[in-house]
Amino acid sequence: MKIISILIAFSIFINAQAEKGPFHPVIKYDNATFSGKIDGFTLDAQSFSPVNLSFYSVLTGDFKEYKIPVNSDGTFCMKIPVESITFCSVSSDYYSGINCLIPGEVSELSIFYDKDQKKRIEFKNSIGLSWEDANTILDWPFELPIVGDEMITPEVFSQKMLDGMKDIIKAINTNVKLNPLVKQNVVAEVQFWVIFHGLLKYNEYALKAYKAHNNTDASKDEFRPQIPDASYYSFLKSFNLNDPILLTGAFYPLILKHIMGIEALAIPDIGNQPVDLWIDKVKQIMKDKLGLENGIVYDIMACYSYVKQLNSLNPLNDVQKQNIRNYFSNKSFEEVLFAKNDKIVQETGTKNKTNIYKLTGASEQLMDSVIAKYKGKVVFVDFWATWCRPCLKALHESEAVRKELENKEVVFLYFTDTSSPKSLWEQKVYEISGEQYYITLKAMDYIHKRYNFTSIPHYLIFDKNGQLKYNHSEFMGNDTMRKWIEESL
């Protein structure tokens, strides 16, 4: 749970204030400066290792990662574009936890080592977030309400989740040991935890209940739970997604993107429609579910509809650009979308290098038939998912090796099962390129058993004759990846 909490990035923008009290976030796109110093550390190597920083973008939902070099005197500094104050994940040999990025301001992380190499950590930022606050948030036991394992309808399930969540939040709000800043962030994250890992996962709960009730080990492909209809999502009324405090949650963009891809809701793509007209159509679908007539939630949904198009490597056209300029009074939306568009324009060539295969069948010979298609080439197989942070991190890190080897006799295959929502998967695959396979859970189960693995990321490397050379869990690093592929050529 702690590892997951490290990756949670809260997105907020507040006015500078000394008191750690409740705040009202707004959107502001600007560079944040993250700086600091490592003092008194006894080097085991000739140089400091970098400080790694990551977070979710509130206006695009993109997972951003930065590697900040540390100078020989222990200092480090980097300007990072953000759309709000962002509580980011920091990982390094010296400190791992959370910190904050503030548009137009400097956030400092200082790490002091004494003569015995015991360290003291200090934060300096305008929101008053201290190292103690960060630890409290990081160590909070985010858990779902207990609803049992009965066979219940989606409506009963959602009500039990909501009732249990109210009890959890009440306990947080009455906890006198938490200051208002910590309390506010923990409450927001609890609410999103319940939505993302609970209310949007009714099918997983239903399968678990079915197994318990029937004492069976049936797979998801053999069990067909009741599919929640559009009215089910009225549980969103309980969260007021216009509440500026809830905008601080890292799950906010993930939840909205998920909702926009739900077939039962049938939210249309924005295309060339004027933004206000598209929003009017979305309101007809969502206002009863959200309990909201207006507000920033609709603006962000419009932003995500453009992002969906951009993630498919389809740049904005002139009509869309003008629609964006005409509608958004907060120019941060325009700046973020146009910046992402510029990046996509540079990458559109990779779309032609992506092949997509959606396989609905399942057999023990699936991998044999797939690998046979690429005889005469080394085949690098990557098992990943849209929800797997280590997978996405590895894909980002290995991009340089894949580009380096793209003109050699090697092909890169990517396997994802239906645990990844199809809409999110379709957005992501064009960024990755290569041969993309979307398979059933049963098919993936066959693969797990044959190659003896249960977790992802996982990798298989076949030589030019289709013989398995490497079967490896976790990302092996770029140097080893390059070495293993070249050995198989």
Side-chain angles (χ1 to χ4, degrees), residues 368-388:
D368 291 334
S369 61
V370 170
I371 299 302
K373 292 169 53 179
Y374 306 99
K375 190 173 182 179
K377 292 186 177 182
V378 171
V379 181
F380 183 93
V381 185
D382 183 334
F383 295 93
W384 69 290
T386 58
W387 45 262
C388 172

Side-chain angles (χ1 to χ4, degrees), residues 84 209-210 297 426:
S84 56
Y210 178 84
V297 63
E426 288 174 338

Side-chain angles (χ1 to χ4, degrees), residues 447-459:
I447 294 173
H448 284 169
K449 290 176 181 177
R450 178 168 181 179
Y451 297 101
N452 193 30
F453 70 96
T454 58
S455 62
I456 55 175
H458 191 86
Y459 306 90

Side-chain angles (χ1 to χ4, degrees), residues 13 56 62 69 157 205 272 319 433 448 454:
F13 178 77
Y56 282 99
D62 294 339
F157 172 75
Y205 170 84
N272 288 341
V319 172
S433 72
H448 284 169
T454 58

